[in-house]
């Protein structure tokens, strides 16, 4: 009797296991349109109204358990957010203090002409413009060598860089604008890293400047300020003094930055409507030359256009 | 014993299995505790094995597993295989050891949850399901087993209540039969009748 029970038990167990394995193998090897899948879909179809009814009926139970879980989660989240808020408040306070300090320092620098205290600022009137700024973008001003103007002097307007004096006569000078096709300015983008690049006008739209040769992974954002980089070596000085505002970033496309290493910059000075400019007349150290990066060597020559 | 008594246990187990799977799918699976949801099905199968024996446990496990696979549109046979092992193992444990400790269902429930969780994961890997093996998976497995152990006792109590009175050698039934047939205690029953 006992042996019979054992044999029966084992037989049933083996049968169940074999059936399961057959089902598994058959189902696994079948296509979605096969009989087992069809049966499964039929069962699901039959069960779906029951499941829907049960789901509605058991919703209060789910909500009850969910309420406990949500409450615990909300409390944890609240604590995390409180800690985050406190941390951010501290950061904001620090940032505000830094901002205030920055403004004060900026104002001080403005008073000192952005560190240009060694330069004499001479305000001059624009007396002429070339008709076609696509080929040559220059201005003619009413001050020359007789007024202490030199070739290579930087020219500002509206607080931003306009260009440099490229030609000097005794009474007038010619200013080559930063939008001139031959112009190249070494610049620094005031992003988080202070990335350096070269600013050149884009072909066909001189007012659209391109800051090129920037790092591919530079984190440059819209409206970042671009200033002159300025450099000084034993034999060569930059044409422009450092930290003179040049423009604002108007387009910083990561793809363009990645592929062409450039962003678009709009000049701060309103180059098309300005009537007066300021020439920075500064001392030139003996034995040193002033250079414009990438613009074909020392700029300009004394003489008329 | 009335003629209908032989069908009582299968009927009750069928209803129990059906309700278990429906409740599991529609409610329990949607409640998460520490990022995992409890699985009542292996606990119920283990409880049935403990209460009814290895053969009913295995058959019940096969049926519930097949129903789960059908309802959840899973590979047929996977859950059946696992639940057969759980039901049969729990039943054999009860038949061989006859445990009397009150916490036995808890231990059996934990083992059932472990077999179900780990076995299902392993079988899915064997069937070619690509899932990242990570500490997160391990953590979820451990939490699922702990949750199963916690729920094992109430599930066992519920299952016992459902199948009470329909088991072949149910203690209540034995006492009732002894009382009505002249006072034979279970210890005095002839062994041939087992």
């Amino acid at each position: 009797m006992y042996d019979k029970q054992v044999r029966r038990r084992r037989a049933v167990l083996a049968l169940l296991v074999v059936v399961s394995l057959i089902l598994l193998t058959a189902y696994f090897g079948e296509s979605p349109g096969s009989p087992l899948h069809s049966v499964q879909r039929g069962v699901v179809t039959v069960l779906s109204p029951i499941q829907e009814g049960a789901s509605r009926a058991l919703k209060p139970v789910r909500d009850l358990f969910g309420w406990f879980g949500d409450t615990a989660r909300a409390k944890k989240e609240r604590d995390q957010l409180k800690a985050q808020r406190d941390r951010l408040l501290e950061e904001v306070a620090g940032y505000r203090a830094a901002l205030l300090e920055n403004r004060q320092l900026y104002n001080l620098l403005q008073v000192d002409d952005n560190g240009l205290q060694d330069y004499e600022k001479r305000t001059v009137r624009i007396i002429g413009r070339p008709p076609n700024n696509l080929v040559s973008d220059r201005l003619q001003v009413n001050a020359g060598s007789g007024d202490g103007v030199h070739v290579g002097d930087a020219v500002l307007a509206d607080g931003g860089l306009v260009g440099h004096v490229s030609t000097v006569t005794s009474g007038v000078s010619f200013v080559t604008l930063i939008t001139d096709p031959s112009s190249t300015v070494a610049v620094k983008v005031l992003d988080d890293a202070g990335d350096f690049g070269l600013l050149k006008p884009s072909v066909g739209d001189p007012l659209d400047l391109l800051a090129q040769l920037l790092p591919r992974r530079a984190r440059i954002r819209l409206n970042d300020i671009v200033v002159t980089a300025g450099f000084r070596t034993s034999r060569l000085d930059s044409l422009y003094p450092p930290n003179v505002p040049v423009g604002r970033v108007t387009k910083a496309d990561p793809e363009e930055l990645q592929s062409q290493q450039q962003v678009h910059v709009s000049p701060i000075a309103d180059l098309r409507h300005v009537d007066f400019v300021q020439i920075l007349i500064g001392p030139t150290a003996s034995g040193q030359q002033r250079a414009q990066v990438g613009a074909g060597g020392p700029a300009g020559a004394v003489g008329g256009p | 014993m009335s003629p209908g008594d032989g069908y009582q246990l299968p009927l009750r187990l069928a209803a129990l299995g059906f309700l278990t799977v429906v409740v599991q799918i529609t409610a329990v699976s949607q409640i998460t505790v520490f990022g995992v949801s409890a699985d009542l099905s292996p606990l119920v199968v283990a409880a049935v094995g403990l209460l009814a024996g290895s053969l009913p446990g295995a058959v019940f496990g096969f049926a519930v597993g097949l129903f789960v696979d059908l309802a959840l549109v899973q590979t047929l046979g996977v859950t059946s295989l696992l639940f057969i092992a759980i039901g049969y193992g729990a039943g054999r444990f009860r038949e061989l050891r006859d445990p009397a400790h009150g916490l036995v269902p808890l231990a059996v429930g934990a083992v059932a949850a472990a077999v179900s969780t780990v076995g299902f994961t392993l079988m899915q890997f064997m069937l070619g399901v690509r899932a990242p093996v990570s500490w997160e998976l391990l953590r979820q497995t451990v939490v699922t087993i702990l949750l199963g152990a916690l729920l094992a006792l109430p599930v066992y109590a519920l299952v016992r209540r459902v199948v009470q009175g329909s088991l072949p050698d149910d203690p209540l039934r034995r006492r009732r039969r002894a009382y009505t047939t002249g006072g034979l205690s279970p210890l005095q029953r002839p062994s041939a009748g087992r």
Side-chain angles (χ1 to χ4, degrees):
Chain A
M1 183 71 179
Y2 178 76
D3 288 346
K4 192 181 171 188
Q5 278 186 344
V6 171
R7 277 201 299 274
R8 183 176 158 230
R9 188 181 68 219
R10 288 178 181 169
V12 172
L13 178 67
L15 180 71
L16 292 174
V17 171
V18 167
V19 170
S20 295
L21 287 173
I22 289 172
L23 279 173
L24 203 159
T25 311
Y27 186 92
F28 196 67
E30 271 189 354
S31 63
S34 58
L36 280 179
H37 285 79
S38 303
V39 169
Q40 199 172 35
R41 281 196 297 274
V43 169
V44 171
T45 308
V46 171
L47 273 179
S48 58
I50 300 169
Q51 286 184 3
E52 192 181 334
S55 180
R56 287 185 183 181
L58 294 170
K59 190 177 182 302
V61 179
R62 287 200 308 270
D63 291 346
L64 179 67
F65 280 97
W67 182 81
F68 287 117
D70 288 347
T71 305
R73 213 172 16 253
K75 282 185 176 175
K76 189 180 172 187
E77 199 174 3
R78 180 201 62 192
D79 294 341
Q80 287 176 342
L81 288 173
K82 273 184 178 176
Q84 191 179 9
R85 181 202 63 190
D86 294 342
R87 198 171 58 248
L88 286 173
L89 276 176
E90 285 178 17
E91 282 184 22
V92 165
Y95 285 142
R96 283 193 175 161
L99 193 65
L100 198 64
E101 193 178 341
N102 185 49
R103 277 184 189 153
Q104 289 171 352
L105 289 171
Y106 185 78
N107 289 336
L108 283 174
L109 287 171
Q110 285 290 94
V111 170
D112 289 341
D113 294 333
N114 287 333
L116 305 175
Q117 61 272 26
D118 293 338
Y119 294 86
E120 178 194 346
K121 274 200 313 189
R122 176 153 300 190
T123 303
V124 296
R125 179 186 292 273
I126 296 170
I127 57 173
R129 297 170 186 269
N132 186 354
N133 55 29
L134 286 176
V135 177
S136 175
D137 207 358
R138 298 200 301 175
L139 298 172
Q140 187 179 0
V141 297
N142 64 348
S145 57
D147 303 297
V149 178
H150 303 93
V151 171
D153 285 341
V155 181
L156 312 179
D158 297 335
L161 185 71
V162 168
H164 67 276
V165 176
S166 53
T167 306
V168 177
T169 64
S170 59
V172 295
S173 303
F174 286 85
V175 177
T176 298
L177 303 184
I178 55 174
T179 50
D180 186 272
S182 68
S183 170
T184 304
V185 184
V187 293
K188 181 169 71 174
V189 182
L190 297 183
D191 56 354
D192 294 337
D195 296 301
F196 288 90
L198 295 176
L199 192 72
K200 297 183 75 168
S202 59
V203 177
D205 185 5
L207 288 176
D208 180 30
L209 304 170
L210 296 174
Q212 298 178 320
L213 297 178
L214 291 162
R216 292 184 196 279
R217 296 185 184 279
R219 291 183 182 179
I220 298 172
R221 287 167 297 196
L222 207 64
N223 290 326
D224 275 351
I225 301 289
V226 177
V227 299
T228 52
F231 62 86
R232 189 181 293 267
T233 64
S234 57
R235 296 188 57 190
L236 201 64
D237 277 359
S238 170
L239 195 61
Y240 304 105
N243 297 322
V244 176
V246 180
R248 289 178 192 278
V249 175
T250 52
K251 185 183 173 191
D253 184 4
E255 289 183 9
E256 191 178 0
L257 194 59
Q258 182 69 28
S259 59
Q260 300 179 48
Q261 296 178 260
Q262 66 182 25
V263 296
H264 295 255
V265 176
S266 173
I268 285 177
D270 187 357
L271 301 177
R272 295 290 176 256
H273 301 99
V274 67
D275 291 322
F276 294 92
V277 293
Q278 289 180 318
I279 302 175
L280 295 179
I281 301 171
T284 50
S286 59
Q288 286 194 328
Q289 290 179 299
R290 305 178 95 185
Q292 186 181 15
V293 178
V302 177
Chain B
M1 190 175 180
S2 66
D5 278 1
Y7 297 105
Q8 261 199 16
L9 183 63
L11 284 176
R12 289 189 186 192
L13 289 182
L16 177 69
F18 180 80
L19 284 176
T20 300
V21 175
V22 170
V23 169
Q24 173 68 41
I25 292 171
T26 54
V28 180
S29 291
Q30 298 176 36
I31 300 167
T32 56
V33 180
F34 300 117
V36 300
S37 57
D39 193 355
L40 297 182
S41 312
L43 303 179
V44 171
V45 170
V48 168
L50 265 181
L51 287 163
S54 59
L55 200 58
V59 174
F60 183 72
F62 172 80
V64 169
L66 190 62
F67 190 33
V68 168
D69 286 339
L70 283 169
L72 295 177
V73 197
Q74 295 175 159
T75 305
L76 295 183
V78 174
T79 315
S80 297
L81 266 180
L82 292 169
F83 283 7
I84 287 170
I86 291 169
Y88 185 79
R92 285 303 287 163
F93 179 65
R94 176 242 190 191
E95 287 162 1
L96 294 173
R97 303 278 174 165
D98 199 13
H101 199 282
L103 291 178
V104 166
L106 191 145
V108 172
V111 173
V115 169
S116 171
T117 309
V118 177
F120 191 78
T121 308
L122 286 177
M123 289 191 82
Q124 291 299 318
F125 283 138
M126 285 161 65
L127 289 172
V129 174
R130 290 181 180 177
V133 181
S134 61
W135 286 109
E136 180 61 21
L137 184 67
L138 189 67
R139 188 192 71 81
Q140 286 196 354
T141 305
V142 171
V143 174
T144 306
I145 293 168
L146 289 176
L147 205 59
L150 276 176
L151 290 172
L153 276 177
V155 166
Y156 178 79
L158 191 72
V159 172
R160 191 174 61 181
R161 195 173 181 80
V162 169
V163 298
Q164 212 171 27
S166 62
L167 295 171
D169 53 353
D170 182 46
L172 282 176
R173 190 173 178 155
R174 273 199 310 228
R175 274 203 298 276
R176 193 165 57 241
R177 193 166 54 215
Y179 177 75
T180 53
T181 54
L184 277 177
S185 81
L187 294 173
Q188 290 171 305
R189 282 195 305 164
S191 60
R194 294 182 77 176

